[in-house]
Each structure stands twice: as structure tokens, then as C-alpha cells.
Amino acid sequence: MASLPLRALTLRQLQFFSVLVEEGHFGRAAKRLAITQPALSNAIKQMEKLLGAELLTRSTHRLQLTPVGAEVLARTDFLVNTFEVALRDIESTVQRGRAFVRVGVIPSASARVTSAVSEFLEAGNREVEIAWRDAPSTILLAELRSGQLDMAVAAITEPPGGLACIDLFRDPLVLVVRQGHALAAAGDASWEAIGKEQLVLFESGSMPALGNPARAQFEQGAEPYRVSYSETLYALVRSGQALGLMPRLYTSSLRDPELVVLPLLKPRVERRVVLAYLPGSMRNVVAQELIAFLRERLPQSGEAAVRRVAAKGKRSRR
């Protein structure tokens, strides 16, 4: 149990602290909170007194978190976000008679996840309000830890600390080449066969952790182009300037007769696609039921998609 002074902390004080750090300025934070600047300053001082530690260092031009302040902020954000989402949950249940669930998904898996969630809603004839969030895995996992999401389908290369994870399926890297390229006729590709070819890959997400070690092992030539969007990657491949290296999920909706998707073997490099959530009790029963449903449904749809992509590659070669 928390010490008696610490238990005197209020949610309002925590909200003040969270907004102040976000704004980085007492005046802006006070305006956003619709309170006076002295009232905000006093609230933060009271927090520091109750905690027995300084949370912020103040100067004329900036505020900076102390090490203790950074630790407190992480837990403050979780409490504030959880409280706000819980209020939304209560409002949705009381006023509209439906549960509220926040789902995060990486863009490459969005078609599969949204389809599975639709099946869940139709099968149970449920009145549920779903809030969707699409973002890279690192952002989704951070928002999950802070209480902004109930669950997230994300790609990882190592276990994310503090979260429960259910393995759904593996998503291997593939090579996207222009129709007519020498590798297109082979049906698949090896890292060794890529040789000194110019590559293009995503600059963020799991690609650096997946692609760089393999490139180093096989002494790939020029530094690859790094892009943010699949449209740019495909354009570079289509123009003959590079070969595309990307997770197979991204190619599931690719319908371009100029491009060929090749399995990339020897070695086969994969990322783990997981369903992640905070361990412990969930906010509502529907969120628990949806996690259980996705746990069973998504691996099955993943296997089906693997076969479709492979078949499409064979048709393209003809």
C-alpha cells in the first residue's frame, strides 16, 4: 500500500503534471487546463512535496524532467490515459448501450485484422464501438503501455517488455523486382543472388533490425535507399533503380503486372506478428473476448495469405 502522503495525490494533480510536460511551458499548460499559472505552479509544488522529490528543473526558457520525474511521468500518463478511456467506456455503455474497445494495428496487417474484427462483431451480434489506430509497431506498443490502447497487432523482432504477447504468424521478407529482371524468371531469390544490386527498404519499423544483419552477412554492395512508404518503394523498383526488400504482408494487395514478388530464401528472414496487450485485468469483457477471437482467427488467415502470395508469384513469372 502507498504511504499516507503519497495517497493524498489526486488525479487532477496528475493530469496537470502530464499536460505541463506535454506543453513544456507553464503558461501554455495553464491556458489549456483553463486555470491560472500560479494555480498550476502550486499544484506541481504540492505534488513534489507529497512525493518528496523534485520532478522538474525550471529555467527561464525550458522545463526539464528529472530522472524521478521521468519515471513518475510514465506512470502518470498510464493512469491519466486509463482514466480518460474508462470514462469513454462508461459513457459508451450508459448512453449508447455498447462497449468501447481501442485496437491498434500495423498498416500492413490492417486488412486482415479489420476483416477478423468484422467477423467477431457479426458472430456475436454485439453493440461495440471500435476505435482504430494505425501506426508503426514501436508507436503502437508505446501507446499500449501508456493505456491508450486495449490491444495491438504489431510486428516485433524481440519480446517487448511489460506486455503480454500472443504469436499469430511469421511474416518473411520478400524481394520485389521489375518484370523482365533476371531474378524474376527464377521463381525465388537468395541473398547471395542479390549480389551488388541496389536495394530499397523501409527506413523504420522492423526492417532495419531484419534486413541489415542479412545484408552484412552476404556483403551487399551499396547502402540501400530508405523510404517511408510502399508507393515510393514500388516506384523505385518499377523504374529499374532498385530491388525492393520488404515484409510479405505489404505485398498482399499488390496488383501490378510490372512487378514480381519473389520468396527470399537462404536464409529465410522473418518478423513475428503478435497480438499484444497489457497483462492483468482488462477494462471490459468484450476486449477480453476480442483478444481470444483474434488469437484463434488471425493465424488461420495468415496461412491462407501465405499461399495466395506464393501463387501470385508463380502467375507473374508466366
Side-chain angles (χ1 to χ4, degrees):
M1 181 177 293
S3 64
L4 191 57
L6 192 59
R7 291 176 66 83
L9 277 173
T10 67
L11 179 63
R12 187 167 175 78
Q13 288 172 322
L14 297 176
Q15 289 172 321
F16 286 178
F17 177 54
S18 180
V19 170
L20 176 59
V21 174
E22 188 175 330
E23 293 292 340
H25 187 273
F26 274 94
R28 289 194 298 269
K31 183 177 181 179
R32 178 173 156 188
L33 292 164
I35 61 173
T36 65
Q37 189 168 328
L40 176 58
S41 180
N42 288 335
I44 300 302
K45 288 178 181 177
Q46 183 64 21
M47 271 191 72
E48 292 177 323
K49 183 178 179 181
L50 291 170
L51 290 166
E54 189 178 45
L55 300 175
L56 297 159
T57 57
R58 302 155 176 86
S59 68
T60 306
H61 301 291
R62 61 180 298 188
L63 295 173
Q64 188 170 356
L65 284 167
T66 64
V68 171
E71 290 293 330
V72 171
L73 179 66
R75 289 153 181 81
T76 295
D77 283 347
F78 175 77
L79 288 171
V80 170
N81 289 329
T82 301
F83 177 74
E84 290 178 353
V85 172
L87 288 181
R88 173 88 178 266
D89 207 0
I90 292 170
E91 179 188 34
S92 182
T93 301
V94 172
Q95 296 186 5
R96 294 187 289 276
R98 62 181 67 172
F100 176 60
V101 181
R102 299 192 63 162
V103 181
V105 59
I106 50 175
S108 57
S110 58
R112 193 171 301 176
V113 175
T114 54
S115 176
V117 170
S118 292
E119 289 182 32
F120 170 80
L121 297 175
E122 292 168 4
N125 194 24
R126 296 172 175 85
E127 288 293 326
V128 183
E129 182 179 351
I130 303 288
W132 290 98
R133 168 69 162 141
D134 64 327
S137 296
T138 50
I139 294 176
L140 294 178
L141 297 177
E143 293 183 357
L144 193 56
R145 291 188 183 95
S146 68
Q148 297 176 68
L149 297 173
D150 292 306
M151 66 196 75
V153 174
I156 63 172
T157 54
E158 56 186 31
L163 297 174
C165 279
I166 299 169
D167 271 292
L168 297 175
F169 50 86
R170 300 300 176 102
D171 186 23
L173 296 188
V174 295
L175 197 66
V176 182
V177 303
R178 187 171 60 166
Q179 188 73 265
H181 190 282
L183 288 173
D188 56 42
S190 68
W191 288 90
E192 204 165 22
I194 295 173
K196 303 298 182 181
E197 293 268 11
Q198 177 70 54
L199 292 176
V200 55
L201 49 85
F202 294 128
E203 63 183 350
S204 61
S206 55
M207 278 308 302
L210 290 172
N212 289 345
R215 287 184 59 253
Q217 180 181 350
F218 290 97
E219 300 180 353
Q220 305 284 244
E223 183 65 20
Y225 299 136
R226 300 181 187 274
V227 299
S228 297
Y229 301 101
S230 56
E231 290 87 349
T232 309
L233 185 148
Y234 293 144
L236 286 168
V237 175
R238 200 179 295 113
S239 67
Q241 296 184 54
L243 307 183
L245 181 65
M246 65 197 312
R248 181 164 53 192
L249 267 180
Y250 280 92
T251 67
S252 60
S253 59
L254 178 61
R255 303 289 184 270
D256 190 328
E258 295 184 54
L259 301 179
V260 178
V261 180
L262 301 175
L264 187 53
L265 311 173
K266 300 176 183 178
R268 178 183 168 100
V269 181
E270 301 172 314
R271 62 178 185 169
R272 292 169 57 193
V273 178
V274 301
L275 176 60
Y277 56 94
L278 279 170
S281 57
M282 297 291 292
R283 278 201 351 265
N284 59 59
V285 174
V286 175
Q288 297 177 50
E289 292 176 347
L290 179 55
I291 285 176
F293 182 87
L294 295 178
R295 178 177 191 164
E296 297 300 321
R297 180 69 184 87
L298 288 176
Q300 298 171 18
S301 63
E303 290 304 312
V306 167
R307 290 192 290 271
R308 284 198 298 271
V309 170
K312 182 182 75 173
K314 291 177 182 177
R315 288 195 296 271
S316 298
R317 292 194 301 275
R318 291 197 296 268

